[in-house]
Amino acid sequence: MAVTIKDLARETGLTAATISAYFNGANVRPYNKEKIERAIDRLGYVRNDYARGLRTHRSMTIGVLIPELSNLFSTTIVSEMEEDLRKKGYGIIVCDCRSDAAREKESVRFLMSKMADGLIVIPVSSDGSAFTELAASGTPVVAIDRITDSKNISHIVINNREASKEAVASMINEGCKSIAIVCGETDVYTAAERFAGYAEAMEEAGLGEKIVAEVGHFSIDGGYRATKKLIGENPDTDGLFVTNYEMTVGAIIALKELGKEVGGDIAIMGFDNVEILKAVYPGIKTVSQPISEIGRTAAETLLAAIEGAPVSDKVLKAKMD
Amino acid sequence: MAVTIKDLARETGLTAATISAYFNGANVRPYNKEKIERAIDRLGYVRNDYARGLRTHRSMTIGVLIPELSNLFSTTIVSEMEEDLRKKGYGIIVCDCRSDAAREKESVRFLMSKMADGLIVIPVSSDGSAFTELAASGTPVVAIDRITDSKNISHIVINNREASKEAVASMINEGCKSIAIVCGETDVYTAAERFAGYAEAMEEAGLGEKIVAEVGHFSIDGGYRATKKLIGENPDTDGLFVTNYEMTVGAIIALKELGKEVGGDIAIMGFDNVEILKAVYPGIKTVSQPISEIGRTAAETLLAAIEGAPVSDKVLKAKMD
DNA sequence: GTGAAAGCGCTAACAT
DNA sequence: ATGTTAGCGCTTTCAC
């Protein structure tokens, strides 16, 4: 059995209440303080968060709920948040709902049972129904990457539409005449916004014909298939806007197989981290999201909400590079 | 305040003990069972794991401690384990110790305070000192990827040495005469083993001169710098064995900049997931670790240990492709 | 500044 | 099958 506060009490001749006071920053006689610290060392005491949490109704853990943990964007954010939250004494319980709304709901209950003090979420259900109940009951929720309809939760997103519009406009500027987009299904917020930006840029340039492939899974494979199909049906496409990292990788594989030279026959505008691709194909451009900043902002916003701050939405800016 | 078992008791006219019995699978009169279930629905009851854990000394959470959460190998494993463990009712608390031994130790205490029922760890400290104390006290620990000196913890690793030896032998077989290795610092277990396999293959083939670059950070940048230096000093190197994924990416960027044609001027043997690279450079070969299997095995081993199984080490096999 | 006592929400004997 | 009682390890009044 683990060492408890009672053991410290026995060891020091003090009472549990005093030891607790010591831990919680109350004034303790220097002499006793030293005794307590010696006892902690000797006995190897570690405070039991479960007992503490039960008493205080604060678990000091944050639930993190992600559609796909195998995705670079998600894990980078998780990594950032883990660091920030740990600094404030919080641990994170990570759940992967595999882009499934039912699993998302189930995960919320799971995190409730863990008494999570708050949730940071990339929402799957666009109505946010999985969270509103929770948020209404007083546990703050911060959604990142995607907007939901819920007024009870805070949202941290980027300016998907503007950034995409600008990106496509720059492709047009570089001389592309026939630009296709590979994007996710437009019932996902980010996909819809990025598509809208693409469409706006095309229309403003008077390039009427939009070439679109919607991809169910935002994966390498999804991007690969979509690109194959797209180029098969529209062989004179000279520009490709691919709206996430994994799909960009897939698109490049497909183009390679089709014998198209990236940057020559066809220009690519990708999304996020493509360090290796850029090295291999210097011509490639991407829209980069401020991933670390998103994570940091989410952590900050949630902690503020836990301290009582009201719901607040934030839009961060992506940049082209 | 959240709904408690007492609320259910009041609502149903039963007592807390009966409700608890219901949750724990004891026999409850069908009539009462139904009443309980109705009450749960109406009140939105979620069982409080903290109270339960405090009482049972089982938190139903597993601590996961990783040196770098931003690394593909790690996150793939975390993703696999999260799924497996969730199926068994366990949540995971993820900690990133940034390859720092002090943070590793601190994280262990943190996870102890969270009453983790067990730990799955990619160890940083090779003596395993951060864990032995914990393991000795009854909390099982499973180390993956790297061996430690501790006899109290289970280890899941791959056959790094044999797989590396085989890989380098195959390069020699393909006609490479001057093969260099880019590996991590050899005080890390995997780096040492992979180097040993390289050395054995070289010696058996009578290729005396070993060309070695040790890299502090197993990162894209680390691989990039090491390769630049290596090729600068040994321009007629015709084979490169790079011992993890990120460094392989870095190496390829470097070769590209040096004007070396991958698969032509120089053969590359990488490690793990290089789907995109293979598409771009069909000649590239890699040693792939059974990443999902590692995660699955780690989860299984830990759960078995929690149920009382003794310490057990396992060696899984990597394959070349 | 420290102690005594009560209680967070749950489970585990034990009794009925 | 259900109720009674006690207690997990901690914090929090309230005395002193």
Side-chain angles (χ1 to χ4, degrees):
Chain A
M1 190 67 9
V3 180
T4 77
I5 214 173
K6 273 190 195 163
D7 299 318
L8 294 181
R10 193 177 317 115
E11 184 86 1
T12 56
L14 295 166
T15 189
T18 309
I19 318 269
S20 173
Y22 161 81
F23 280 121
N24 293 290
N27 269 340
V28 173
R29 238 191 285 278
Y31 171 72
N32 286 329
K33 190 175 151 168
E34 207 177 294
K35 267 206 297 192
I36 294 174
E37 281 160 1
R38 256 205 312 275
I40 291 173
D41 270 4
R42 181 160 49 238
L43 272 49
Y45 172 79
V46 178
R47 170 132 115 288
N48 184 324
D49 253 34
Y50 267 58
R52 181 185 166 87
L54 179 58
R55 187 59 234 242
T56 59
H57 296 284
R58 274 203 162 205
S59 64
M60 297 303 284
T61 64
I62 303 296
V64 173
L65 181 43
I66 302 287
E68 298 289 344
L69 215 38
S70 55
N71 154 306
L72 192 63
F73 173 77
S74 308
T75 54
T76 309
I77 289 186
V78 171
S79 173
E80 174 72 34
M81 295 191 308
E82 193 273 340
E83 172 147 30
D84 297 352
L85 292 171
R86 265 298 283 297
K87 276 190 197 132
K88 308 284 186 181
Y90 287 86
I92 61 172
I93 299 195
V94 179
C95 293
D96 179 343
C97 70
R98 313 272 159 179
S99 295
D100 180 79
R103 283 213 210 188
E104 178 177 64
K105 206 150 199 165
E106 180 210 316
S107 298
V108 171
R109 303 210 123 214
F110 181 75
L111 292 169
M112 282 174 72
S113 78
K114 295 287 183 203
M115 271 180 45
D117 295 335
L119 260 53
I120 297 177
V121 167
I122 297 181
V124 168
S125 56
S126 65
D127 59 356
S129 59
F131 314 111
T132 37
E133 179 193 10
L134 179 66
S137 85
T139 303
V141 177
V142 173
I144 54 186
D145 193 48
R146 303 178 192 170
I147 294 267
T148 73
D149 301 335
S150 170
K151 286 289 151 222
N152 294 324
I153 78 185
S154 300
H155 298 266
I156 315 281
V157 295
I158 63 153
N159 59 339
N160 286 287
R161 184 188 296 232
E162 293 73 16
S164 297
K165 179 174 174 182
E166 206 179 302
V168 173
S170 90
M171 295 176 80
I172 295 170
N173 214 34
E174 299 281 329
C176 290
K177 298 271 175 262
S178 176
I179 302 177
I181 181 170
V182 176
C183 69
E185 285 169 346
T186 47
D187 54 353
V188 174
Y189 168 78
T190 47
E193 288 293 300
R194 290 169 198 179
F195 174 76
Y198 160 79
E200 283 176 19
M202 294 292 277
E203 270 151 30
E204 286 190 10
L207 294 176
E209 210 214 343
K210 294 189 258 308
I211 309 166
V212 183
E214 284 190 26
V215 178
H217 254 64
F218 295 34
S219 60
I220 294 181
D221 192 53
Y224 171 84
R225 287 172 200 236
T227 304
K228 275 265 169 118
K229 182 154 177 293
L230 207 56
I231 303 296
E233 292 168 0
N234 307 275
D236 45 328
T237 300
D238 61 1
L240 200 56
F241 178 41
V242 196
T243 60
N244 91 340
Y245 167 68
E246 278 78 8
M247 294 194 300
T248 305
V249 172
I252 289 180
I253 296 177
L255 291 176
K256 172 91 182 173
E257 283 186 20
L258 289 164
K260 297 270 186 188
E261 193 198 333
V262 173
D265 304 325
I266 189 161
I268 292 227
M269 176 70 69
F271 235 88
D272 288 332
N273 183 340
V274 280
E275 193 165 2
I276 175 66
L277 297 178
K278 281 196 182 159
V280 176
Y281 303 112
I284 209 172
K285 292 268 186 306
T286 66
V287 179
S288 343
Q289 306 187 67
I291 303 195
S292 293
E293 195 189 345
I294 295 173
R296 210 176 325 117
T297 307
E300 276 167 15
T301 305
L302 184 64
L303 293 182
I306 289 175
E307 304 301 339
V311 165
S312 86
D313 293 348
K314 273 168 205 137
V315 178
L316 306 179
K317 288 202 186 332
K319 67 176 196 297
M320 238 183 63
D321 50 24
Chain B
M1 189 68 9
V3 180
T4 77
I5 214 173
K6 272 189 194 161
D7 299 318
L8 294 182
R10 192 176 319 114
E11 184 86 0
T12 55
L14 295 166
T15 188
T18 309
I19 319 268
S20 173
Y22 162 81
F23 280 122
N24 293 292
N27 271 340
V28 174
R29 239 192 285 278
Y31 171 72
N32 286 328
K33 188 174 153 173
E34 208 175 294
K35 268 206 296 193
I36 294 174
E37 281 160 1
R38 255 205 313 275
I40 291 173
D41 270 5
R42 180 159 51 238
L43 272 50
Y45 172 80
V46 178
R47 172 135 113 286
N48 184 325
D49 254 35
Y50 267 57
R52 182 186 165 87
L54 180 59
R55 187 58 236 242
T56 59
H57 296 285
R58 273 202 162 207
S59 64
M60 297 303 284
T61 65
I62 303 295
V64 173
L65 182 41
I66 301 288
E68 298 290 344
L69 215 38
S70 55
N71 153 306
L72 192 62
F73 174 77
S74 308
T75 53
T76 310
I77 289 186
V78 171
S79 173
E80 174 71 35
M81 295 191 307
E82 192 273 340
E83 172 148 31
D84 296 354
L85 292 171
R86 265 299 283 297
K87 275 191 197 131
K88 307 284 185 182
Y90 287 86
I92 61 172
I93 299 193
V94 178
C95 293
D96 180 341
C97 70
R98 313 273 160 178
S99 295
D100 180 79
R103 282 213 211 188
E104 179 177 63
K105 206 151 200 164
E106 180 211 315
S107 297
V108 171
R109 303 209 124 213
F110 182 74
L111 292 169
M112 282 174 73
S113 78
K114 295 287 182 202
M115 271 182 46
D117 295 335
L119 260 53
I120 297 178
V121 166
I122 297 182
V124 168
S125 56
S126 65
D127 59 356
S129 59
F131 314 111
T132 38
E133 178 192 10
L134 178 66
S137 86
T139 304
V141 177
V142 173
I144 55 187
D145 194 49
R146 303 178 191 169
I147 295 267
T148 73
D149 301 336
S150 169
K151 287 290 151 221
N152 294 324
I153 77 185
S154 300
H155 298 266
I156 315 281
V157 295
I158 62 152
N159 59 340
N160 286 287
R161 184 188 296 232
E162 292 74 14
S164 296
K165 179 174 174 181
E166 207 179 302
V168 173
S170 90
M171 296 176 81
I172 295 170
N173 214 35
E174 299 281 329
C176 291
K177 298 271 174 264
S178 176
I179 302 176
I181 181 171
V182 176
C183 70
E185 283 169 349
T186 47
D187 54 353
V188 174
Y189 167 79
T190 47
E193 287 292 301
R194 290 169 197 180
F195 174 76
Y198 161 78
E200 283 176 20
M202 294 293 275
E203 270 152 30
E204 285 189 12
L207 294 176
E209 210 213 343
K210 294 188 258 311
I211 309 166
V212 183
E214 284 189 27
V215 178
H217 254 63
F218 294 35
S219 60
I220 293 180
D221 191 53
Y224 171 84
R225 287 171 200 239
T227 304
K228 275 265 171 120
K229 183 156 177 289
L230 206 58
I231 302 297
E233 292 168 2
N234 306 273
D236 45 327
T237 300
D238 60 2
L240 199 56
F241 178 42
V242 195
T243 60
N244 91 340
Y245 168 68
E246 278 79 8
M247 294 193 302
T248 305
V249 172
I252 289 179
I253 296 177
L255 290 176
K256 172 92 181 171
E257 283 186 20
L258 289 164
K260 297 271 186 187
E261 194 198 333
V262 172
D265 304 325
I266 190 161
I268 292 227
M269 175 71 69
F271 235 86
D272 287 332
N273 183 340
V274 279
E275 192 165 2
I276 176 65
L277 297 178
K278 280 194 182 161
V280 177
Y281 303 112
I284 209 170
K285 292 268 186 307
T286 66
V287 179
S288 346
Q289 307 188 66
I291 303 195
S292 294
E293 195 189 344
I294 295 174
R296 210 176 324 119
T297 307
E300 277 168 14
T301 305
L302 184 64
L303 292 182
I306 290 174
E307 303 302 339
V311 164
S312 86
D313 293 349
K314 273 167 206 137
V315 179
L316 306 179
K317 287 203 188 330
K319 66 175 196 299
M320 238 182 63
D321 51 23

